[in-house]
Amino acid sequence: MSKKSLSMFDPALVAPAIVESVKKLDPRVQWRNPVMFVVYTGSILTTILFVQAITGKGEAPTGFILAITLWLWFTVLFANFAEALAEGRSKAQAAALRGMKKTVIAKQLEGTKYGAKHFPVPASDLVKGNIVLVEAGDVVPMDGQVIEGVATVDESAITGESAPVIRESGGDFSAVTGGTRVLSDWIVVKVTANPGETFLDRMIAMVEGAKRQKTPNEIALTILLVALTIVFLGVTVTLLPFSIFSVAAVGAGSPITITVLIALLVCLIPTTIGGLLSAIGIAGMSRMMQANVIATSGRAVEAAGDVDILLLDKTGTITLGNRQASQFIPARHVTAAQLADAAQLSSLADETPEGRSIVVLAKQQFNLRERDVHALNASFVHFSAQTRMSGVDLKTDAGEKKLRKGSAEAIRKHIEALGGAFPDEVQQAVDTVARRGSTPLVVAENNKVLGIIELKDIVKGGIKERFAEMRRMGIKTVMITGDNRLTAAAIAAEAGVDDFLAEATPEAKLALIREYQSQGRLVAMTGDGTNDAPALAQADVAVAMNSGTQAAKEAGNMVDLDSNPTKLIEVVETGKQMLMTRGSLTTFSVANDIAKYFAIIPAAFIATYPQLSALNIMQLASPNSAVLSAVIFNALIIVVLIPLALKGVKYRALGASVLLRRNLLVYGLGGIVVPFIGIKAIDLALVALGMT
Amino acid sequence: MSYLTQMLGLAVQNFLSAASGIVVVIALIRGLARHSMNTIGNVWVDLTRVTLFILLPISFVLALALVSQGAIQSFDAYQEATTLDVTSYETAKLDADGQSVMDEQGNAVTETVTTQTQTLPMAPLASQLAIKMLGTNGGGIFNVNSSHPYENPTPLSNFLQMLAIFLIPAALCYTFGRMVGDTRQGWAVLATMLLLFLPFAIGAMYFEQQGHPAIAALGVDQSASAWQAGGNMEGKETRFGIADSGLFAAITTAASCGAVNSMHESYTPLGGMMPMALMQLGEVVFGGVGTGLYGMLVFALLAVFISGLMIGRTPEYLGKKIEAYDMKMISVAILVTPLLVLAGTAIAVVSPSGTASIFNPGTHGFSEVYYAFTSAGNNNGSAFAGLSANVPFYNVMLAIAMWFGRFGVIVPVLAIAGSLAAKKRIAATPGTMPTHGPLFVILLASTVILVGALNYVPGLALGPIAEHLTFISAY
């Protein structure tokens, strides 16, 4: 996917957005947003009043009605523009995705085995269950599962990750995505999606917003906004009779005009949030896309904001995938250098990351260089499941030297078979190392134990701070590992997680999630394997790794294209950000009304009660300029807040109270103060332009 | 009304109306306290318990205490008393159907009546009085209500009556805390009510103590001195003075009681605005028995909704998520009353039968109507008595406002209760917004003020505020 992020007001986005905002004046589009529909209706009404005014019987000065009318239309257009701009960004992303959907001719197999005859079929004709052959250089025609073969696949088009990945039948790496390219070898793929339902299709549909449904909180908020609109409709409509009565009672002035009433209504109803609401939602999904996460629904993203338990796999998420040698612990009468030497020799042919890390450590600590394997006249013994040891046999002048390394039990069996004894102090050291959360490897020369290599799980840098941040947000982190309790406890302490589940089985994971949920908590987890699927399905927010199996991806409600388990944390933040932006703008919008009352109420009734000028605390020039300034402010604030709506309110990992106090101060108090300044400034500008 | 009607009809209603308010709030609290349940209690059980175990015993004790102060309790016949002064007053002339008679200009015709006798019912009053206050019902046996010496004889009885009004509404906050298993929640709600109440009570006393500019212009000394309490004493009992009258006015309007010991109509514009505004906050500042707390809890749900979004979580109150359905019901509960008040006032001020009953011209006349609908819509019952409300137009209009103002709120509140009871309870974490600290108290108070202000400020600007500013510029 294209990672290019367009700047907020890129001309390439703005121009179509302007066209789009005019197109959105269609009443059927406006109807979907109740708040803006009221503004829309108001605009039409004032337009009619304007036409009435130019034909001679205006209820107010023609120029005034015209100015109000124009700015009401601008209000509608600005809201449309915000939505169009947000959609434009998504559309750019969708276009990039669609570019990947090339017409591919697939090789459909007649049988289910490699070697069966194949015939060409357009990829768009493939349905679920078809078997296709994909060879080196071919594009995978549809989403599917590898049922035979192994191949390297370039998935950079989907994930942006340039390193090719291995896909093979069986196991957790059997899923292939349509649009990716096989680089080497061949695979037989069983198609798992019908045309239009593939991963790519779902992504495109989602970013285009075609399937974008309102999230639960968005619906609840819309109800509140409609309620506020009804309140203000009641307030403004009843002001007309109030005004008629007052005028009759005092015998001065004239009743409030419809134009001013409509202006007042539009200023009071929450147009700021109403106009930006859908833009916020679209922008939220679009941010997830930029983070390379595909959510099946906005609901899932929103739910992520509520999560209070994060289940994280130890390996790959909390620790680096591999253990590394961290220390040589020699047995009695053996020096560390001797041990390191033996350990290095026994690991020279060990190509596992652990083996390599032993060689590296020996070099670092004792400056032992790699040796010429042939000169040593060595024969290497590779690790086998039976012996559970690896090592090397050296023929030296002093006879044959058998160097072995392996788990404590394996070495004990080995040396006891050779007539040696396993020293107690080594056994104690083994236990100590295990308690630390590390893995002890014992090294033996013939029937003598030389000492222990400590293999340590390396906790990822910065992860501890990340968890501390989560804790401040009120999110509990739980580490899941297959290790024994001792090891798990040690790593959990080092990584700073709140809790851990050791010796985890799929059933234990599922049980743990259910337990948390019964306590009323929302659980998020990441997973990739088929055995994760039940837990993923049970979790409230489940992020499946794109590298994972089809089962895992279907069970989850999000797929992380980068297969980076730490991404869950970003997902949570995005979810929270979406809600915060909505809440903050609602508060801002409602708080604005105080200043607008002070601008419009004195202006509307000053002719009847000149004393009400005492309420004109902003000292606005004239009643007409006061009303117009409020309307203009109301329209312009939408434009000013578009960047905030698209980027989202900045999320900080703080406790609820601190966060609330902060946002209340900025958006609540700010919402009260800003319009006083803004309306006054616009009024001054209107006076300067001679438009009073 | 006969003594029998008073005792069988009104006293029973006084008890039941109070009990039903409590029953509704208990149902709502159960909705918050329970989880994953389908029921929120049995109305008959609750009604019986509330009446039998709470209202009756307290009323009994209170009635005795009031009798000890001199409140009457007898079945004697009405007494005719000759007054010292000859009283003459103007009243709207009514035709045979009880309609106001109109002159050619459409203004109501008034006639002057003089009298030197007063009829005094010797009613079983103390027993009515106790539940009138305790149940925040407010309808007294005497027209002048608690300013009558039989009904409110001493400063102590005055104090007891004020105490009785706030007793149950305040105590229910603690009940709420206990029932949800966290008394801090109850204290927070109580603190919010107090925070809202104080400025209005102090305001009512302060503005009255300042005196009335129009009276000052007549050369009347309104300053406080050793010989008089000073201030605007029109429509107030000299026995109570400014402080007790102002405080009583604030309490009775805060608590949707409606009993009065002074005439709110005669308050200064801003002094009179305080009781009006207290009602317009939705009768949630202590409020009626039960009604006040459920109103406040609905506001709490609203406050939590917006602030919950602001911290990036699905809003929740006491572990219950607030979702679309709840939001719908919250909106209805909060919308109904203001719309009734505004629509009622709007119809009244432009229809001839509505304007006919208005006693004072201009801004004050507007205030009379506005106050009447505010009082009816919020189930208060006090009035700016200059408005002749006992005409078919106002009887019908105010009855509609009263009926919908009460049941239009109760129905959505019970719907919220049921919906909340069925939800799971979410565990509290550091990421949950605490609803018991000072921040929440301020937030809740601001929400109440904001909703009230946004609804009623334009009307207040045309009524009391304009009237006040007129007086300032005139004198």
Side-chain angles (χ1 to χ4, degrees), chain A residues 198-232:
Chain A
T198 64
F199 200 60
L200 215 52
D201 291 320
R202 290 213 315 259
M203 275 167 75
I204 293 168
M206 206 182 50
V207 285
E208 282 196 325
K211 276 195 181 169
R212 207 184 83 82
Q213 289 167 331
K214 283 186 176 173
T215 59
N217 279 320
E218 203 176 348
I219 295 171
L221 181 60
T222 307
I223 292 170
L224 176 69
L225 296 182
V226 170
L228 283 170
T229 307
I230 295 173
V231 164
F232 292 122

Side-chain angles (χ1 to χ4, degrees), chain A residues 74-90:
Chain A
F74 278 138
T75 312
V76 178
L77 286 173
F78 289 159
N80 288 349
F81 178 70
E83 194 179 281
L85 198 59
E87 283 173 352
R89 289 156 65 83
S90 298

